[in-house]
Amino acid sequence: VQLQASGGGLVQAGGSLRLSCAASGRIATIRAIGWFRQAPGKEREFVARMRWDGDFAYVEEDRFTISRDNAKDTVYLQMNSLKPEDTAVYSCAASSGSYISSVPTRYNYWGQGTLVTVSS
C-alpha cells in the first residue's frame, strides 16, 4: 500500500485547509485509515480515524472532519477554524489490522506527510 498526502500549506488563523490522502497498491488490504500530526519538538499525536469504508469516523477536534471519496480511494481531512497550534506535519496512515485505532503503532503503512503552517 502506498499513501500520498497532499494539501498542506500556509494559512492564517481561522482559515481552512483540506488535506488529501490518496491510496494505491493493495487497497483491498486496508481496514482503517488515520491522520496523525507531529509538531516540531513534539511527539506524534492522533488527529482522526475511520474504517476504510467510511464508518466509525472519529476526530479529536470538532473543527476537523474525516471523509472518503470511494471512487478515488482518497481520504480527506477537512480542517476549519485553524489555530497556530495546529501547525505540524500531517501524515495519513493505513492499517490492515482488525482495530480502528488511535495508536500510531497499529498502522503499518504511512504516507510522507504534508506540512500545515497556521500563522497568527
Side-chain angles (χ1 to χ4, degrees), residues 1 3 27-36 48-56 66 75 92-102 106-109:
V1 173
L3 302 172
I27 295 173
T29 65
I30 299 175
R31 295 294 177 265
I33 197 84
W35 283 97
F36 297 83
R49 67 170 194 256
M50 69 177 189
R51 198 167 67 183
W52 181 239
D53 64 3
D55 281 344
F56 302 105
I66 185 172
V75 174
C92 57
S95 170
S96 55
S98 302
Y99 299 100
I100 308 168
S101 176
S102 302
R106 291 285 190 178
Y107 291 82
N108 42 344
Y109 304 104

Side-chain angles (χ1 to χ4, degrees), residues 18-111:
R18 188 179 77 162
L19 306 183
S20 300
C21 176
S24 60
R26 298 184 64 190
I27 295 173
T29 65
I30 299 175
R31 295 294 177 265
I33 197 84
W35 283 97
F36 297 83
R37 68 185 182 186
Q38 188 166 20
K42 295 187 177 181
E43 293 188 355
R44 179 179 287 164
E45 63 177 356
F46 165 77
V47 176
R49 67 170 194 256
M50 69 177 189
R51 198 167 67 183
W52 181 239
D53 64 3
D55 281 344
F56 302 105
Y58 175 81
V59 294
E60 197 72 0
E61 294 272 357
D62 290 342
R63 300 175 288 120
F64 298 173
T65 304
I66 185 172
S67 63
R68 179 189 166 193
D69 183 333
N70 294 343
K72 297 181 179 180
D73 290 325
T74 298
V75 174
Y76 301 102
L77 181 69
Q78 177 69 41
M79 304 187 295
N80 299 325
S81 302
L82 283 162
K83 305 174 181 179
E85 51 264 44
D86 294 319
T87 295
V89 174
Y90 285 71
S91 299
C92 57
S95 170
S96 55
S98 302
Y99 299 100
I100 308 168
S101 176
S102 302
V103 178
T105 54
R106 291 285 190 178
Y107 291 82
N108 42 344
Y109 304 104
W110 288 83

